Amino acid sequence: MRNLNSDRREFFRALAGGAAGLSLSWPLFGQAPATPIQATKLTEKLVLFSGDGGNIAVLIGEDGLFMVDGGFAERSGELLNSISSLDSHPVRLLFNTHWHMDHVGANVALGKAGVKIMANENVKKWLSRKVTMEAFNRTVDPLPAEGLPTVPFTKGGSLMFGKNIVQYTHVDPAHTDSDAFLFFTGHNVIHSGDLFFNGFYPVIDYSTGGWIGGMVAGAEAMLKVGDAKTRIVPGHGPLASKDDLKATRDMLDAVYQRLDPLYKQGRTVDEAIAAAPTKDFDDKWGKGMMAPAVFARVAYTSIQRHYAAV
Ligand SMILES: [Zn+2]
């Protein structure tokens, strides 16, 4: 049997010091040492669970729960316990905002129990195979079949859960090529998945289609949803406002607008980093999971990969 704790340590060691020279802050990833799972009520029937990988939202319906993302696999028992201590109804539907392991950790436990798992079709594609995330020098094994999404979608739509209308939208490749965000209309809350890291440079997984231009477009798509008072559960970081999302969009767009001409001039990654494309943003955004030089490297590589693929 695999030692999951050891796997987790290795994953974060790889994240912290992988081939790309990454420097990540572990507590911001909610890991090592494990931070407690905390529940925050956003409305009477919508709850944010933080502290276990990506942020998790749980919508409480009349006879069951709708869960968005599921943290890390090794903490899924702890997560599901804290959810059931808040509301004893069973989880009826699980939604994956994208394929990354810090968001799909409850898939196997809930899938085995017969819970439907909904996700963009590319989530199943990546979870069904071995994937190497080059930026992190990390290979992720496929999930067992019980954990794979059972309700795939392409573009998005809306669903009724109890009396709640939930809109879900797949965007063009951004953080990965499998991202979707959700809008809980009656609660005026968006769950962005990793289309939005609140307060620090985002991870961009160019090995599975992510690129910085798509991150800008993804932020713009979410800015059009709801109104000025809409609150946003980001993939990582604290609960956010539209102003927080706009600030992130503007930072990402500025970095993209600086890197794109360098790409068109044929500059290497090292030349792009030497141009210090994030310099004036680093004080505010560079103290989180992605150190400035790492973010610049990942962002520039993502542009190279994107243009090579189209
Ligand atoms: Zn992610």
Side-chain angles (χ1 to χ4, degrees):
M1 194 181 163
R2 292 193 318 156
N3 180 332
L4 290 168
N5 279 325
S6 158
D7 272 5
R8 189 183 73 191
R9 278 196 300 275
E10 279 169 24
F11 177 61
F12 285 98
R13 197 173 297 128
L15 283 178
L22 284 185
S23 168
L24 298 180
S25 168
W26 290 14
L28 276 169
F29 225 136
Q31 298 297 309
T35 51
I37 293 172
Q38 286 193 322
T40 307
K41 275 199 166 186
L42 303 179
T43 66
E44 199 49 41
K45 298 290 181 188
L46 185 63
V47 185
L48 160 64
F49 287 85
S50 55
D52 176 17
N55 287 320
I56 293 143
V58 174
L59 178 63
I60 303 170
E62 282 73 36
D63 63 350
L65 308 177
F66 174 39
M67 186 172 162
V68 180
D69 282 352
F72 278 103
E74 65 270 30
R75 292 185 77 191
S76 61
E78 190 188 340
L79 173 66
L80 294 172
N81 280 340
S82 31
I83 291 172
S84 62
S85 71
L86 194 89
D87 187 282
S88 58
H89 287 104
V91 176
R92 302 272 183 211
L93 181 61
L94 171 65
F95 191 101
N96 295 152
T97 59
H98 62 297
W99 76 271
H100 282 159
M101 66 186 293
D102 52 334
H103 297 257
V104 301
N107 278 35
V108 171
L110 292 176
K112 273 184 184 163
V115 174
K116 288 180 182 164
I117 305 174
M118 189 168 184
N120 171 259
E121 58 195 357
N122 290 334
V123 171
K124 185 174 180 182
K125 174 182 78 177
W126 297 121
L127 290 178
S128 304
R129 63 185 73 177
K130 199 180 264 243
V131 181
T132 299
M133 296 168 70
E134 298 149 278
F136 308 119
N137 193 28
R138 164 77 191 191
T139 298
V140 182
D141 284 331
L143 272 196
E146 305 95 308
L148 297 176
T150 51
V151 188
F153 65 87
T154 307
K155 293 274 183 210
S158 65
L159 61 87
M160 288 293 292
F161 192 81
K163 296 188 178 105
N164 301 275
I165 299 170
V166 183
Q167 297 171 352
Y168 53 98
T169 307
H170 170 60
V171 299
D172 287 339
H175 170 70
T176 67
D177 69 1
S178 67
D179 308 301
F181 68 87
L182 300 96
F183 182 44
F184 298 92
T185 57
H187 307 261
N188 204 9
V189 170
I190 291 172
H191 190 310
S192 69
D194 281 359
L195 291 169
F196 179 26
F197 287 59
N198 185 22
F200 41 96
Y201 291 137
V203 171
I204 302 173
D205 180 8
Y206 54 78
S207 298
T208 62
W211 80 295
I212 186 170
M215 290 293 285
V216 175
E220 286 170 356
M222 292 187 289
L223 283 169
K224 291 183 187 139
V225 173
D227 57 31
K229 292 193 172 139
T230 302
R231 290 177 295 167
I232 304 152
V233 174
H236 297 270
L239 185 68
S241 66
K242 276 285 185 70
D243 286 345
D244 296 325
L245 176 59
K246 173 80 165 51
T248 295
R249 179 261 169 225
D250 291 350
M251 175 276 292
L252 288 170
D253 189 50
V255 174
Y256 172 50
Q257 299 300 338
R258 292 170 192 176
L259 290 177
D260 193 58
L262 299 177
Y263 171 77
K264 285 173 178 150
Q265 293 160 20
R267 303 293 181 89
T268 65
V269 174
D270 289 336
E271 286 167 345
I273 294 169
T278 65
K279 192 170 56 184
D280 48 328
F281 294 117
D282 292 345
D283 271 355
K284 180 171 177 191
W285 306 91
K287 299 189 176 88
M289 295 160 71
M290 303 283 281
V294 177
F295 176 63
R297 179 178 295 277
V298 168
Y300 192 71
T301 307
S302 81
I303 293 172
Q304 293 178 312
R305 293 296 180 86
H306 176 75
Y307 285 122
V310 293

